[in-house]
Amino acid sequence: MQLPGFHTAETQFVDTPKGIFTASGVWFRTTETLLRQYAGEVFAREPLGKLLTEAEVWLRSPQALTLWLLPMFLFLIPPLPAAAAALVVYVAWKSLGPSFVGRTLTRLFRLLDLVLLQALFYVFMLSALAAQQQYMAVWVGLGGFILLRWGLVRWATLPLVRLLWTSLYRLPVPDQVLRALILRAAMKHGVALPELDRIERQILDTLRRPDGRK
């Protein structure tokens, strides 16, 4: 089972007729067979598990980004506006982030997603706030850390985020992110993928069928 944080190994996944399921619970609506049919040359150079790992890192990036920005906001502005600003960042990046997928940023987010690094950062920042007797800011920071790490912010904002996703993307967001990473890997290795759009069409055709059959 994958642990949250820095992934040194490739993501473990199961390929099913309804899509790819990863060990951490992410569902990609495309299948390994379909991906290899149209982008097999990319996976000959970079394993599919590695690209799935990068996709998972990107999908967690709103949480990682917000966790790092919240203590900085608490140093700059009062606690409640800081919490509101962090929430806006979370929703904005979760909604728009799939449009800006990049492998360099993915490597950065992989580092920022390290749980131990996040914990040490919070210990340092909240201790500094406590030394300045900004106790309200300390509690907001601690509460924000817990709410983000436990996924409660994700749960609370999901209806709004899903509404925004529907207006912004044709594909389910995990597939949108994975497709972008495959394209960037193809560009890196000079691989042409003239039929990659057929994967998108097949995913959309499957989503339109009530029974989900292919």
Side-chain angles (χ1 to χ4, degrees), residues 25-212:
V26 179
W27 179 17
F28 298 90
R29 302 298 182 96
T30 188
T31 65
E32 183 179 7
T33 300
L34 189 61
L35 288 172
R36 293 193 182 280
Q37 182 178 351
Y38 297 116
E41 195 172 347
V42 173
F43 305 130
R45 291 164 170 77
E46 296 196 35
L48 175 57
K50 177 183 176 184
L51 292 172
L52 290 173
T53 296
E54 293 184 6
E56 289 188 313
V57 168
W58 194 270
L59 292 168
R60 289 194 303 271
S61 66
Q63 174 182 291
L65 178 63
T66 308
L67 278 167
W68 284 87
L69 287 179
L70 175 58
M72 299 180 191
F73 290 156
L74 289 169
F75 264 97
L76 297 173
I77 54 180
L80 292 183
L87 186 61
V88 169
V89 167
Y90 180 88
V91 172
W93 185 249
K94 196 168 184 70
S95 303
L96 301 175
S99 299
F100 301 99
V101 177
R103 305 194 79 187
T104 300
L105 271 179
T106 300
R107 288 191 288 272
L108 173 61
F109 281 126
R110 178 182 278 189
L111 178 64
L112 296 180
D113 197 39
L114 276 167
V115 178
L116 179 59
L117 203 59
Q118 291 172 357
L120 290 174
F121 180 64
Y122 267 73
V123 168
F124 174 78
M125 296 293 279
L126 297 185
S127 297
L129 287 168
Q132 298 177 13
Q133 298 185 342
Q134 297 188 43
Y135 300 117
M136 180 65 174
V138 172
W139 284 110
V140 169
L142 182 60
F145 182 84
I146 293 171
L147 292 174
L148 285 161
R149 288 299 320 172
W150 286 4
L152 297 179
V153 173
R154 174 186 176 277
W155 174 80
T157 59
L158 196 55
L160 172 59
V161 169
R162 280 180 172 166
L163 182 63
L164 294 170
W165 279 348
T166 300
S167 64
L168 291 170
Y169 310 112
R170 296 180 66 199
L171 290 175
V173 164
D175 295 275
Q176 179 81 23
V177 172
L178 180 60
R179 183 181 185 277
L181 289 167
I182 292 172
L183 285 171
R184 280 154 182 75
M187 292 173 61
K188 174 184 175 181
H189 298 290
V191 176
L193 297 176
E195 294 189 284
L196 188 62
D197 286 343
R198 294 183 65 179
I199 297 177
E200 179 177 332
R201 290 197 296 272
Q202 291 197 32
I203 293 172
L204 292 172
D205 287 344
T206 301
L207 291 173
R208 293 189 191 105
R209 298 173 186 170
D211 58 3

